[in-house]
Amino acid sequence: MSEGGTQGLQILEAILADPDNQQCVDCGALDFSWASTTLGCFVCIRCSGIHRQIGVHISRIKSVQLDSWVESDCLVLHKNGNSKVENTFASNRPEQYAKPTSSSPSMLIEHWIRAKYEWKEFHMDASHTPIYLKGVKSGTLVKKGKERGCWLPRHFILDRVTNSISYYDKASTTGQKILGQIDLTRCFVLIPNEKMTDRPNTLHLLYQKGRQMRSVYVSSTTNREIVEWYYAIRTLQTHLGFSRNCVTTVVESFLSKTPPEGKGKWRNRWCILAADRLLYYKNILDPFPKGVVTLSSGDTVEKLYESPKHLKSGPDYKFVLTTKKRVYYWGTQNEETCLRWINALSEVIGSFWEGE
């Protein structure tokens, strides 16, 4: 800590001795290197950037290590602290609004911080639940076309009667033909990697259409709008008993794949693991996958430390997924990516045994 008033530093050190203050109040990261001197809480470097965006009139951020600390700033932290701030600003958080973690997508964390401190949706004095957390939502989103790939505005309505999302050409739905309807009981709601989609504030609706899995991508100009859609859908699916279909953290990356039994050329595929489905696509944002692997109990996944002779070529790091129907060989040039996929697949497969 930089030098400031001696008494102020002593107060700050005493505050940091409290275990509740030794993590980020917003995402739970074990990083408390920043503090809000107006709210009186500690945050991580990632969340501190969002606090700065919402303005110093709400949250003024200082570095615990690099900035000078005066007694008045320390007294705010002493008076409040993480526990009191959380009780004040988040005590009315409904169950269907899951508190983000340090591994959550950035747009969920940003919405959480703004909803807490800027909009005060979960404040202890809040008198009503936001309408989107009652499973009610409608509005215009930009949708990626299935064939030409153009992004076009469409009017979406979350329908509690049919348990579906319907979308139209225009906001006035009177006399209009429905362009599409998504059954929420057969739909996964995913938050894609913003760096890979190259489009901010995007939602991925992955649903069963006949025998195929269909992907619909929608986006908005604002973080608030798209996250409200995510939680409105989550709320309705929770009511229907399908809360598992709302997946906040998705394992997704490019992987290389060979034809059956590992004989043939390695091809790059965009892969997504959502619940018990591993889907692989030729390109990111394709409407339909080239293939879907449905995982089940008895499947196995393991790293290949020594590749068989017919797999000597290809990526440096490989793993094999063995299902009841066939053997899949996957590879990547990054060991961390390889291990992340193995761990995620193992966790899904292990969950089947737990349920038996």
Side-chain angles (χ1 to χ4, degrees):
M1 282 173 271
S2 295
E3 292 187 6
T6 302
Q7 189 173 357
L9 291 177
Q10 291 175 345
I11 296 172
L12 186 58
E13 288 172 355
I15 296 167
L16 287 171
D18 184 344
D20 287 340
N21 293 328
Q22 294 177 8
Q23 63 179 352
C24 175
V25 70
D26 294 321
C27 73
L30 298 178
D31 169 15
F32 46 96
S33 55
W34 300 83
S36 171
T37 60
T38 45
L39 297 170
C41 57
F42 293 90
V43 296
C44 65
I45 188 169
R46 183 189 191 188
C47 292
S48 72
I50 303 171
H51 277 253
R52 286 194 178 92
Q53 291 176 26
I54 64 179
V56 295
H57 62 294
I58 296 174
S59 182
R60 184 184 294 275
I61 293 294
K62 293 183 72 171
S63 168
V64 171
Q65 299 292 334
L66 302 177
D67 289 327
S68 296
W69 284 84
V70 295
E71 186 176 343
S72 57
D73 288 339
C74 296
L75 288 174
V76 175
L77 289 162
H78 178 70
K79 178 183 177 182
N80 295 333
N82 284 4
S83 294
K84 186 173 181 179
V85 168
E86 192 72 359
N87 289 335
T88 300
F89 289 94
S91 58
N92 278 327
R93 175 183 62 84
E95 184 180 355
Q96 62 268 30
Y97 192 112
K99 179 179 177 178
T101 67
S102 57
S103 61
S104 296
S106 296
M107 70 179 192
L108 285 187
I109 292 180
E110 179 181 345
H111 188 277
W112 166 239
I113 291 172
R114 289 184 180 275
K116 280 172 71 177
Y117 308 118
E118 184 177 1
W119 309 321
K120 296 184 178 179
E121 292 183 342
F122 314 128
H123 195 275
M124 61 190 302
D125 296 329
S127 58
H128 65 279
T129 301
I131 190 70
Y132 70 93
L133 290 175
K134 296 179 181 179
V136 177
K137 188 70 179 169
S138 65
T140 299
L141 298 172
V142 182
K143 173 184 171 292
K144 185 178 185 295
K146 179 175 65 174
E147 296 174 358
R148 290 187 294 175
C150 300
W151 291 83
L152 298 171
R154 294 288 183 256
H155 187 72
F156 286 78
I157 296 177
L158 186 59
D159 192 336
R160 293 180 64 93
V161 176
T162 60
N163 299 322
S164 65
I165 301 175
S166 301
Y167 54 94
Y168 303 79
D169 186 31
K170 298 177 182 178
S172 175
T173 59
T174 305
Q176 277 201 72
K177 180 182 177 182
I178 296 177
L179 295 181
Q181 192 170 54
I182 300 171
D183 181 359
L184 292 179
T185 65
R186 300 164 65 85
C187 176
F188 292 97
V189 187
L190 315 175
I191 296 177
N193 187 321
E194 294 179 2
K195 294 179 181 178
M196 302 307 296
T197 59
D198 197 29
R199 194 176 186 94
N201 308 322
T202 300
L203 207 59
H204 179 188
L205 306 175
L206 176 64
Y207 66 99
Q208 192 82 33
K209 186 174 183 180
R211 291 189 172 185
Q212 290 185 300
M213 295 297 292
R214 167 81 161 96
S215 287
V216 169
Y217 290 90
V218 295
S219 71
S220 173
T221 55
T222 68
N223 164 284
R224 185 174 190 175
E225 179 69 7
I226 206 70
V227 176
E228 284 188 1
W229 269 102
Y230 171 79
Y231 279 116
I233 296 169
R234 182 187 183 96
T235 298
L236 186 50
Q237 288 190 319
T238 300
H239 175 72
L240 296 170
F242 288 89
S243 57
R244 75 181 186 90
N245 289 10
C246 271
V247 184
T248 57
T249 303
V250 181
V251 182
E252 55 182 0
S253 72
F254 278 108
L255 291 175
S256 295
K257 174 183 174 296
T258 65
E261 305 308 322
K263 297 177 181 179
K265 185 179 179 181
W266 288 88
R267 298 186 184 278
N268 219 22
R269 296 290 181 248
W270 177 247
C271 300
I272 299 175
L273 178 63
D276 61 350
R277 314 278 180 94
L278 194 168
L279 305 98
Y280 51 96
Y281 299 78
K282 185 176 181 180
N283 302 298
I284 300 176
L285 304 185
D286 279 353
F288 297 101
K290 287 190 70 66
V292 179
V293 182
T294 302
L295 303 172
S296 62
S297 62
D299 294 347
T300 61
V301 58
E302 59 182 327
K303 184 178 181 181
L304 290 177
Y305 290 95
E306 292 187 12
S307 299
K309 186 176 180 180
H310 63 285
L311 291 175
K312 289 295 183 184
S313 62
D316 292 338
Y317 302 97
K318 306 178 183 72
F319 65 92
V320 57
L321 173 64
T322 305
T323 70
K324 291 181 174 66
K325 293 185 177 180
R326 61 171 276 195
V327 176
Y328 296 86
Y329 291 98
W330 306 89
T332 175
Q333 293 300 116
N334 184 284
E335 185 176 21
E336 182 181 346
T337 300
C338 181
L339 293 175
R340 187 169 74 248
W341 274 96
I342 292 172
N343 292 336
L345 289 165
S346 298
E347 185 177 342
V348 172
I349 295 169
S351 68
F352 297 117
W353 293 103
E354 293 173 5
E356 292 181 353

